[in-house]
Amino acid sequence: MYLLAVDGGGSKTLARLQHSLSGQQWQAAGGPAQLSNNLDLAIRTVRQLSLQLCQQAGIGLHQVMACIGLAGAGNPQLHSAFCQQLQLNFAAWQLTTDARTSLYGANNGQPVVMVALGTGSVAMRLDQDGSEQQTGGWGFNIGDEGGGAWLGKLAVRQLLWQLDSDEGLTSPLTQALSQHCGDNVSTVLPWLKQAGATDFAALAPLVFSHQSCPLAQQILHQQAAAITELIQCCRGRRALPVVLLGGLAASSQSLLSADIGKLLQAPRGDALDGGLILAARQLARISPV
């Protein structure tokens, strides 16, 4: 039997196929698979990667136990629609959130608080008794504080303030942003009209690369505060280690306070590792030793 893990978010999707006995692996990457952004695209991406990996391994879908972890899968309607429309003949499979697969990968299935910082943000806790609790992850429109799209949105808001001011673009950060979003009303408005979470997240690296700019420092201070609040809300008073995962984890960690830094430990795995853990558990339930 083979185990398949899929990790899909707002910017990219990764998939890993592993033979359950030998441990041999195959991996592939694709575009976004964020259910709340584009359900049809998510379905196409997961189908493409699943079939691609099976082809690489020379196996059929019926030999695969899959765990698909996607952003937006916590929405019951989207979860149901994806399950009805995927139409892949796996031996068995489950759809869960990318936060949950990240949680199980972060500390190799052991108790932990996991904070994922990518296009969006979410924290999740695995307690000693095996119970799980999610904090945040409410989506770009209202939440995802500390994530890349939220960070990019803060930066663009500052760009708009400076465009409205008498002084114009005086900040190195907003000058750099104007190269991507426009430097006047006639260019910025069309960009704003079509911009989604992925577009805003693509601007986050500019904030980090302009840390000598006071405006960028101000925005990154807000990000550090948002991440701290996410950690504290999810962890509470529990004596659990905290693991940061995602594309912004490394660059964000240095911005956090010393007290928060003492709680952090290096990740033991990622969302794909977590997906393989959950797929293996499903296989064990179906085929107990």
Side-chain angles (χ1 to χ4, degrees), residues 120-121 136-147 149-150:
S121 71
W138 289 104
F140 176 60
N141 289 336
I142 194 65
D144 282 357
E145 296 88 345
W150 177 89

Side-chain angles (χ1 to χ4, degrees), residues 216-232:
Q217 293 171 11
Q218 173 188 325
I219 294 172
L220 291 174
H221 180 75
Q222 291 177 261
Q223 189 211 19
I227 296 170
T228 298
E229 185 175 15
L230 196 57
I231 291 172
Q232 292 175 337

Side-chain angles (χ1 to χ4, degrees), residues 68-90:
I68 300 170
L70 303 183
N75 180 304
Q77 289 77 28
L78 293 174
H79 188 286
S80 176
F82 182 92
C83 291
Q84 290 174 9
Q85 297 176 42
L86 183 62
Q87 296 180 344
L88 290 178
N89 189 31
F90 293 121

Side-chain angles (χ1 to χ4, degrees), residues 236-264:
R237 297 181 181 274
R238 297 165 185 83
L240 292 175
V242 178
V243 171
L244 301 184
L245 292 177
L248 296 185
S251 52
S252 301
Q253 182 170 336
S254 62
L255 305 173
L256 302 175
S257 70
D259 287 342
I260 294 296
K262 293 175 184 177
L263 305 177
L264 302 180

Side-chain angles (χ1 to χ4, degrees), residues 115-155:
V115 178
L117 301 170
T119 300
S121 71
V122 66
M124 201 164 181
R125 185 180 72 242
L126 179 60
D127 280 313
Q128 299 287 350
D129 63 2
S131 61
E132 305 165 9
Q133 177 64 43
Q134 180 172 316
T135 303
W138 289 104
F140 176 60
N141 289 336
I142 194 65
D144 282 357
E145 296 88 345
W150 177 89
L151 195 63
K153 193 173 184 179
L154 288 185

Side-chain angles (χ1 to χ4, degrees), residues 2 30 42 51 56 64 123 151 200 232-233 247 252 259 264-265 275 279:
Y2 292 77
L51 293 170
Q56 288 179 21
V64 175
L151 195 63
F200 282 102
Q232 292 175 337
C233 184
S252 301
D259 287 342
L264 302 180
Q265 73 172 33

